[in-house]
Amino acid sequence: MSQNVRVRFAPSPTGALHIGGVRTALYNYLFARQNKGTFILRIEDTDQNRYVEGAEKYIFESLAWFGLDTAESPLKGGPHAPYRQSERQGVYQKYAHQLVDEGKAYYAFDTKEEIDALKARLEAAKANQISYNAVTRMQMTNSLTLSKEEVKTRIERGDAYVIRVKIPSKDEIRFQDMIMGWVKAHASTLDDKVLLKEDGLPTYHLANVVDDYLMKITHVIRGKEWLPSAYLHVLLYELLGWKDAMPQFAHLPLLLKPSGKGKLSKRDGIALGIPIFPLSWEDTDDKTQTVQTMQGFREDGFLPEAVLNFLAFLGWNPGTEQEIFSIEELVEAFDLSRVVKSDAVFDFEKAKWFNQQYLKSTDDQKLGNLLQAEIKRQGFVTDFELPKLTQIAALMKERITFLNDILKDGLYFFEAPQVYDDKTLKKRWDEEGRSFVENILTELSDYSGEWQAEALHELIHGYIDKNELKMGKAMPALRLALTGLGGGPDLMGIIEVIGKAETLQRLKRILTVV
Ligand code: GLU
């Protein structure tokens, strides 16, 4: 691409960033990087009624957790600062007025009652589109129906007004979307949207187009839910005389519920008990105003790289069998023209699979660090320090889906089992098993060598061989005594980690309680 690619992620801080928003950010990031372009974060907070405290910080934290770095943002600044629309309020008005001066937009003075009456009339007439448009605009109180003097007087005396775009009655608006292909809408399906509100602030449409233009955005990559707005945006570029600078649009397929039926929503997260936000979020229910904490992918034990890999595939595929892609590999392989039109099912089982694969291939040291951080986050109590935690992580990494599984499924590393698995007890805890544990207890207490997996292996296996015991009897009994379970990672590794004193104590305990 010869052009200097500039893309933006432009969320509105109206709540927690949805995982679909993260996918949008990811696709923008990948596209920018592979074209040696610039990835920008712009906060679209013109709608103060929908502003939610903490939502902006949440966006920053989420992108940081995923490592989706932006070159220009409210935090970093940049050549087109500010990047928060609420701080750019002075920017937009002149464009709205320019359109009025050129006859492409108009002042509308209608009161709420007048607008309500219009709606009621349209409803009664069963007009399927309830709007302020080419037909209805001539019945309303605006600068198209009032005399010039009247308009002037009203403005001078301070009457409230909005500026509406005058949708030209041309046939259709067409553009070529990079993903959806040629798309078109008839101008009559658009309404005369408000561009500037009574308080002088822009609406989303005006601010979005003006900022994309001023920030020299070359590609608008966003969710398909914005496609209906795109027709108006394309028209605004034309009306503002910016047609040649219009970015290319790429509307991404929607994310569907795991069932494939309908758009993925916050409610699915609650109903299915699955995360749909990247980080935990104190969510206030719109209807009941009750607050509940919703776990995020991070709190559920997902690695950010695994989530990104999972998200990359929701709408895109490389056309090969390869599924595991590091972020650098995604930068190489991702191709906007391979993004599909059809909506993508949010398959949570697949997300888990990706996480498993990533945990398995994470190096032990890093996993140890992550485990330590997780322990701290959970307030989990243990004296174990990093070297031991690293050993535990290394032993467990083949068997976990989430990092937290180490603390659940591998709880025995940290504390003696309180109960013994019933099935294993019945099957494995017989005279032979018991007497083996008794004897090995003596062997291990007498042992003064290094307390280390290989040496212990030699000692224990040596004992089994020498006494011609059955491996399949002895080892499960020993495992049951030490972990309370019938299966798990390398037993010698477990014995090494829990240490001599604890091992002896656990062996004694099973002999007294069962
Ligand atoms: N502010 C819009 C949102 O919240 C951005 C749409 C766009 O990217 O143009 O998603």
Side-chain angles (χ1 to χ4, degrees):
M1 204 157 292
S2 54
Q3 199 181 12
N4 184 9
V5 166
R6 291 177 58 81
V7 293
R8 84 307 191 268
F9 177 49
S12 297
T14 53
L17 177 64
H18 187 280
I19 200 69
V22 179
R23 185 199 53 175
T24 300
L26 171 66
Y27 283 18
N28 274 283
Y29 171 90
L30 296 174
F31 186 73
R33 281 206 49 202
Q34 70 183 193
N35 288 296
K36 312 230 173 325
T38 307
F39 176 42
I40 297 153
L41 171 66
R42 181 174 75 223
I43 299 291
E44 300 208 323
D45 56 351
T46 51
D47 192 349
Q48 290 300 320
N49 295 331
R50 296 186 59 219
Y51 183 82
V52 171
E53 191 67 42
E56 184 184 294
K57 191 163 161 259
Y58 185 93
I59 293 167
F60 298 148
E61 283 177 7
S62 301
L63 294 182
W65 185 59
F66 286 114
L68 295 176
D69 297 333
T70 49
E72 299 169 25
S73 76
L75 297 179
K76 281 216 175 126
H80 301 281
Y83 291 88
R84 200 179 271 116
Q85 288 185 328
S86 58
E87 291 168 13
R88 301 172 59 81
Q89 287 172 12
V91 170
Y92 311 105
Q93 289 195 359
K94 75 168 188 215
Y95 297 104
H97 288 283
Q98 174 193 322
L99 291 176
V100 176
D101 293 345
E102 294 172 355
K104 297 166 181 167
Y106 56 91
Y107 299 115
F109 300 95
D110 313 282
T111 58
K112 186 176 175 303
E113 290 70 33
E114 285 172 308
I115 296 281
D116 287 347
L118 167 68
K119 284 187 187 160
R121 273 203 312 279
L122 290 168
E123 222 160 45
K126 297 216 175 346
N128 44 12
Q129 263 210 295
I130 300 190
S131 62
Y132 202 125
N133 61 13
V135 179
T136 54
R137 69 168 79 110
M138 298 317 285
Q139 308 160 3
M140 305 299 285
T141 316
N142 54 48
S143 57
L144 303 172
T145 56
L146 300 172
S147 70
K148 263 206 168 99
E149 293 70 47
E150 172 78 17
V151 172
K152 198 162 167 259
T153 317
R154 281 179 179 249
I155 291 181
E156 277 169 5
R157 72 168 183 238
D159 278 12
Y161 68 83
V162 299
I163 292 182
R164 287 182 182 270
V165 59
K166 187 177 167 199
I167 300 284
S169 48
K170 61 182 215 171
D171 294 342
E172 57 185 24
I173 301 154
R174 289 159 58 88
F175 66 93
Q176 193 173 18
D177 187 274
M178 291 174 80
I179 297 165
M180 300 296 156
W182 278 102
V183 287
K184 58 182 186 204
H186 200 279
S188 63
T189 61
L190 304 187
D191 53 351
D192 289 358
K193 280 263 179 321
V194 172
L195 301 178
L196 204 68
K197 296 180 281 189
E198 277 186 14
D199 54 9
L201 292 182
T203 55
Y204 155 71
H205 301 291
L206 180 66
N208 185 268
V209 167
V210 167
D211 282 345
D212 281 348
Y213 172 74
L214 294 178
M215 294 181 179
K216 299 191 166 33
I217 298 304
T218 56
H219 298 78
V220 167
I221 305 169
R222 63 184 172 192
K224 198 169 84 180
E225 61 274 28
W226 298 102
L227 186 58
S229 302
Y231 300 108
L232 173 62
H233 298 174
V234 167
L235 189 65
L236 285 174
Y237 277 97
E238 277 178 32
L239 297 178
L240 286 159
W242 300 337
K243 210 172 157 197
D244 293 342
M246 188 168 84
Q248 274 187 275
F249 290 95
H251 287 92
L252 308 175
L254 300 176
L255 297 193
L256 302 178
K257 301 173 192 301
S259 65
K261 294 193 188 96
K263 205 174 139 186
L264 179 71
S265 74
K266 187 170 85 181
R267 302 210 174 278
D268 299 313
I270 300 171
L272 302 170
I274 59 175
I276 54 146
F277 294 145
L279 317 177
S280 76
W281 173 253
E282 295 291 319
D283 189 69
T284 310
D285 187 272
D286 292 341
K287 282 197 196 115
T288 59
Q289 291 298 306
T290 47
V291 179
Q292 67 168 318
T293 305
M294 293 184 68
Q295 292 250 104
F297 276 84
R298 182 179 62 185
E299 292 70 30
D300 272 0
F302 278 92
L303 297 174
E305 308 86 300
V307 182
L308 290 182
N309 197 156
F310 164 65
L311 291 177
F313 274 77
L314 295 183
W316 168 83
N317 69 75
T320 64
E321 294 292 297
Q322 187 180 347
E323 288 188 280
I324 302 295
F325 283 83
S326 68
I327 194 80
E328 294 307 318
E329 288 171 321
L330 282 175
V331 168
E332 276 294 307
F334 181 75
D335 184 351
L336 208 46
S337 69
R338 285 197 61 86
V339 172
V340 294
K341 284 188 197 177
S342 48
D343 297 334
V345 175
F346 181 80
D347 178 358
F348 188 64
E349 291 308 311
K350 192 74 194 186
K352 283 162 59 177
W353 178 84
F354 273 109
N355 208 47
Q356 247 169 1
Q357 305 307 310
Y358 272 79
L359 284 168
K360 254 189 227 177
S361 61
T362 302
D363 76 66
D364 298 349
Q365 205 58 50
K366 182 171 173 205
L367 215 51
N369 281 311
L370 288 172
L371 180 59
Q372 192 173 44
E374 179 63 17
I375 283 175
K376 208 163 145 208
R377 195 187 66 77
Q378 285 194 20
F380 185 92
V381 183
T382 173
D383 295 336
F384 287 172
E385 295 191 359
L386 191 58
K388 246 188 195 165
L389 296 176
T390 305
Q391 271 181 298
I392 296 173
L395 285 163
M396 290 296 285
K397 74 179 186 183
E398 295 282 335
R399 354 185 120 245
I400 51 172
T401 304
F402 301 113
L403 197 56
N404 341 3
D405 290 343
I406 299 182
L407 303 178
K408 287 189 253 154
D409 302 346
L411 184 64
Y412 52 78
F413 281 106
F414 303 91
E415 54 190 61
Q418 298 306 309
V419 286
Y420 300 99
D421 177 61
D422 244 358
K423 242 169 75 191
T424 319
L425 255 183
K426 280 195 193 111
K427 233 167 113 191
R428 308 287 190 185
W429 193 250
D430 54 11
E431 263 323 300
E432 213 175 320
R434 188 185 176 91
S435 99
F436 171 67
V437 167
E438 259 165 13
N439 294 325
I440 215 68
L441 170 60
T442 318
E443 294 287 318
L444 288 173
S445 9
D446 294 347
Y447 174 69
S448 55
E450 204 189 342
W451 197 264
Q452 184 269 340
E454 270 125 67
L456 291 163
H457 181 275
E458 227 160 83
L459 174 87
I460 295 170
H461 284 246
Y463 178 87
I464 293 173
D465 289 345
K466 198 172 76 202
N467 295 287
E468 290 175 10
L469 302 178
K470 285 197 215 79
M471 196 68 76
K473 280 268 178 191
M475 295 309 253
L478 187 55
R479 182 183 293 278
L480 182 70
L482 296 174
T483 69
L485 301 173
D490 175 48
L491 190 54
M492 301 305 136
I494 297 175
I495 301 179
E496 177 183 332
V497 169
I498 64 179
K500 184 169 181 177
E502 180 67 19
T503 301
L504 301 183
Q505 212 171 337
R506 291 188 192 184
L507 297 183
K508 282 181 203 149
R509 181 174 187 273
I510 196 168
L511 294 169
T512 47
V513 301
V514 215

